[in-house]
Amino acid sequence: MKKIFFSIALVSATVAFAQKKEIAAAVKAIDAGDVAATNSQIAAAEAVMGGKTYLVEPAVLEQYYYAKGLALLKSGKNAEGAAYLAKMSELGKEKIYTGKDSSKNKVYYVGKAAADQSGIPGLKEDTYLPVLTGKIGNTINPLIEAANKTAMNAYTSKNYAAAAPKFREVYDLLKAGGQDNKQYLYYSGLNYALADKKNEAIEVYNELINSGYTGVSTTYFAKNKKSGEVEPLDKVTWDLNKKMGATSEYSDFTSETSTSIEKELYETNAALMVDAEKYDDALALIEKGLKKFPSNSKLTELQGTAYYKSGKMDQFIANLKVQTEKNPSDANNWYNLGVLQSKDPATEAEAVKSYKKAIELKPDFAQAWQNLTYVTMGDDAKAIEDYNAAKKAGKTEAANKIIEARRARLAAALPYAEKWYESDQQNIDAVSLLKGLYMSNKKEAKYQEFKAKEAAMQAAGKK
């Protein structure tokens, strides 16, 4: 007997036919209200699909989402069902990219991102118009109302963890009906953030940013001549009645346009990513955000934090310099820059300038006075060690130069230490340092005064 070999193309066609048959049966079953039969047919189709929805043509894929989504809704799984039904709307809003893969299978990628990710060259751009959206209105409208009420009640009672997925459910249900109102998706992300569910919030904010959502919308109003009440109208009705003039049932036509929240989306999402220790993701998002909002000090600050926490110190220093340029009146930025500059002997002079700038902006900045004192003093322990080594080796001239340089540094540091103490008089470290500096600078009276202060503070600390 001869062996029979089937071509890949023939196998693919057979699989596609099986899917169409099972999905069509699922649609008939759900329209008849038979959830069990629907689930059975869907399970059979999914077994063949193996998750590769890009092998299913849009018309059949819409039927799959329709049957699967309604079956989930009728089983009480509203959030899951809404998510599937929302995919029906996506088929009509996104471009469909078609072609063949390396195995000669016909492919249908929904959206450019999916097409690009496939790596298949020469895909052709197409469109698809959903036909089943109108059939689900009666089913989803009461669910939208119920989900929105639950979401609002949860938000009002500050139960943000419960409100977030419900707002998402409202968004998906509206989208399933053809209304892509991303304000509800924004509410979902905001509530996830308030509930400290960072990963979920990040996912939603990414979706909003990638979709180009800005929150800008225009609401139209007009006064009803009969009731005298101002009513919101849709754009088409508003335009039509405005053109009708005196014959219209409305007068006093006005509109309100909301402000953009795009900058807030970037700032909030970047902050969430930094808090979640997703530093590389945060830096990528911040870079994208700064291209849109180059003077945004919040994003620049978050960029610096991400650099610092991820150990990218060179980039952190460069970022701090940018921050001081964008916001030169922020004393903290100058102080932070000084801290990093003081860690490298080659940039200690720059550190002194940065600390002095911080103090100029904030005269009572105790930490800046403290660090300015220490950077001016230098490594005093090493100076003494070098002096003793030179003296022991009989290098008297070198030893004298070391000690003279030390005296000069201590004299220069004294006024900074006094300002440190003036800004933080309860700091025993400032008192102890001043006691030593007064002694080194041969200021006996002040030395005795601060020696007594130190003793009193030490005694008080032991009580």
Side-chain angles (χ1 to χ4, degrees), residues 98-99 120-124:
T98 65
I120 299 174
L123 293 175
K124 294 181 180 179

Side-chain angles (χ1 to χ4, degrees), residues 430-462:
V431 171
S432 299
L433 181 64
L434 266 175
K435 180 193 73 171
L437 288 174
Y438 284 134
M439 182 176 68
S440 299
N441 285 279
K442 303 186 185 316
K443 294 182 180 289
E444 182 62 25
K446 297 296 290 182
Y447 164 71
Q448 292 297 336
E449 177 188 343
F450 275 78
K451 181 181 179 182
K453 285 181 185 290
E454 181 187 52
M457 292 174 80
Q458 287 173 339
K462 292 177 180 178

Side-chain angles (χ1 to χ4, degrees), residues 350-462:
E350 295 299 315
V352 169
K353 292 178 182 178
S354 295
Y355 287 138
K356 286 184 176 179
K357 185 65 179 178
I359 290 161
E360 177 187 324
L361 294 166
K362 186 179 177 183
D364 62 346
F365 202 154
Q367 293 96 330
W369 285 117
Q370 177 183 5
N371 286 12
L372 183 56
T373 301
Y374 284 123
V375 77
T376 303
M377 286 174 57
D379 191 342
D380 196 49
K382 186 176 186 306
I384 293 172
E385 183 182 323
D386 291 345
Y387 169 75
N388 290 331
K391 192 173 181 181
K392 185 177 180 180
K395 299 178 181 179
T396 305
E397 185 177 350
N400 289 339
K401 285 183 179 180
I402 291 170
I403 205 66
E404 286 303 318
R406 176 177 181 267
R407 287 194 185 108
R409 288 196 302 274
L410 296 183
L414 178 58
Y416 301 142
E418 288 176 330
K419 285 290 187 180
W420 174 19
Y421 171 71
E422 186 180 313
S423 302
D424 189 6
Q425 297 187 12
Q426 301 305 311
N427 192 321
I428 192 171
D429 291 335
V431 171
S432 299
L433 181 64
L434 266 175
K435 180 193 73 171
L437 288 174
Y438 284 134
M439 182 176 68
S440 299
N441 285 279
K442 303 186 185 316
K443 294 182 180 289
E444 182 62 25
K446 297 296 290 182
Y447 164 71
Q448 292 297 336
E449 177 188 343
F450 275 78
K451 181 181 179 182
K453 285 181 185 290
E454 181 187 52
M457 292 174 80
Q458 287 173 339
K462 292 177 180 178

Side-chain angles (χ1 to χ4, degrees), residues 93-168:
K93 294 184 183 303
E94 297 279 1
K95 296 291 185 183
I96 308 297
Y97 293 84
T98 65
K100 291 187 177 181
D101 62 16
S102 58
S103 299
K104 306 301 181 183
N105 295 312
K106 190 74 180 287
V107 294
Y108 310 86
Y109 288 99
V110 181
K112 193 172 187 308
D116 290 343
Q117 191 175 4
S118 74
I120 299 174
L123 293 175
K124 294 181 180 179
E125 188 179 288
D126 201 352
T127 58
Y128 175 73
L129 182 64
V131 297
L132 296 175
T133 303
K135 294 180 65 174
I136 61 176
N138 291 337
T139 301
I140 66 173
N141 287 340
L143 295 177
I144 293 171
E145 186 177 348
N148 188 48
K149 184 178 180 180
T150 301
M152 289 302 300
N153 288 341
Y155 173 74
T156 303
S157 61
K158 298 184 178 181
N159 187 357
Y160 305 122
K166 276 296 175 182
F167 277 123
R168 175 76 203 216

Side-chain angles (χ1 to χ4, degrees), residues 8 15 21 45 50-51 87 100 116 145 161 175 197 208 259 266 276 287 289 306 335 345 371 375 423-424 426:
I8 293 175
V15 169
K21 185 178 178 181
K87 292 178 184 291
K100 291 187 177 181
D116 290 343
E145 186 177 348
K175 189 176 178 182
K197 291 183 173 290
L208 288 167
T259 57
Y266 276 94
E287 183 179 352
Y335 170 77
N371 286 12
V375 77
S423 302
D424 189 6
Q426 301 305 311

Side-chain angles (χ1 to χ4, degrees), residues 127-442:
T127 58
Y128 175 73
L129 182 64
V131 297
L132 296 175
T133 303
K135 294 180 65 174
I136 61 176
N138 291 337
T139 301
I140 66 173
N141 287 340
L143 295 177
I144 293 171
E145 186 177 348
N148 188 48
K149 184 178 180 180
T150 301
M152 289 302 300
N153 288 341
Y155 173 74
T156 303
S157 61
K158 298 184 178 181
N159 187 357
Y160 305 122
K166 276 296 175 182
F167 277 123
R168 175 76 203 216
E169 185 179 319
V170 173
Y171 168 71
D172 284 337
L173 286 168
L174 285 169
K175 189 176 178 182
Q179 185 181 348
D180 193 355
N181 190 338
K182 286 189 171 62
Q183 187 172 15
Y184 287 97
L185 187 59
Y186 169 70
Y187 292 157
S188 175
L190 178 62
N191 277 271
Y192 274 128
L194 290 170
D196 201 31
K197 291 183 173 290
K198 296 182 179 66
N199 290 333
E200 292 86 345
I202 289 168
E203 183 178 346
V204 173
Y205 276 103
N206 278 338
E207 188 174 346
L208 288 167
I209 290 170
N210 292 336
S211 73
Y213 177 71
T214 64
V216 175
S217 62
T218 302
T219 308
Y220 300 90
F221 303 93
K223 182 187 288 187
N224 188 309
K225 290 179 179 179
K226 291 182 179 179
S227 66
E229 297 291 328
V230 175
E231 300 176 0
L233 301 176
D234 62 80
K235 180 71 164 59
V236 174
T237 305
W238 188 82
D239 282 336
L240 178 62
N241 279 274
K242 190 176 182 182
K243 289 176 182 177
M244 291 171 65
T247 61
S248 171
E249 296 179 358
Y250 293 92
S251 64
D252 301 335
F253 295 90
T254 59
S255 63
E256 294 179 2
T257 301
S258 61
T259 57
S260 173
I261 62 168
E262 189 175 18
K263 182 170 65 174
E264 175 203 321
L265 294 177
Y266 276 94
E267 291 174 351
T268 303
N269 202 25
L272 288 166
M273 287 176 173
V274 170
D275 286 346
E277 300 182 3
K278 298 177 181 288
Y279 303 124
D280 288 341
D281 290 344
L283 289 169
L285 177 69
I286 291 166
E287 183 179 352
K288 181 180 175 181
L290 287 173
K291 287 179 181 178
K292 283 179 169 286
F293 311 103
S295 61
N296 188 287
S297 57
K298 178 64 175 177
L299 286 176
T300 305
E301 180 184 339
L302 286 166
Q303 186 181 50
T305 303
Y307 280 140
Y308 179 76
K309 290 191 173 182
S310 60
K312 298 175 180 178
M313 301 312 293
D314 289 342
Q315 294 95 321
F316 179 45
I317 293 174
N319 173 270
L320 279 175
K321 289 180 179 178
V322 171
Q323 287 192 58
T324 57
E325 291 170 5
K326 286 185 177 179
N327 191 4
S329 60
D330 190 324
N332 287 321
N333 286 340
W334 287 104
Y335 170 77
N336 289 332
L337 182 57
V339 169
L340 290 168
Q341 290 169 331
S342 66
K343 294 181 182 297
D344 184 351
T347 56
E348 280 186 355
E350 295 299 315
V352 169
K353 292 178 182 178
S354 295
Y355 287 138
K356 286 184 176 179
K357 185 65 179 178
I359 290 161
E360 177 187 324
L361 294 166
K362 186 179 177 183
D364 62 346
F365 202 154
Q367 293 96 330
W369 285 117
Q370 177 183 5
N371 286 12
L372 183 56
T373 301
Y374 284 123
V375 77
T376 303
M377 286 174 57
D379 191 342
D380 196 49
K382 186 176 186 306
I384 293 172
E385 183 182 323
D386 291 345
Y387 169 75
N388 290 331
K391 192 173 181 181
K392 185 177 180 180
K395 299 178 181 179
T396 305
E397 185 177 350
N400 289 339
K401 285 183 179 180
I402 291 170
I403 205 66
E404 286 303 318
R406 176 177 181 267
R407 287 194 185 108
R409 288 196 302 274
L410 296 183
L414 178 58
Y416 301 142
E418 288 176 330
K419 285 290 187 180
W420 174 19
Y421 171 71
E422 186 180 313
S423 302
D424 189 6
Q425 297 187 12
Q426 301 305 311
N427 192 321
I428 192 171
D429 291 335
V431 171
S432 299
L433 181 64
L434 266 175
K435 180 193 73 171
L437 288 174
Y438 284 134
M439 182 176 68
S440 299
N441 285 279
K442 303 186 185 316

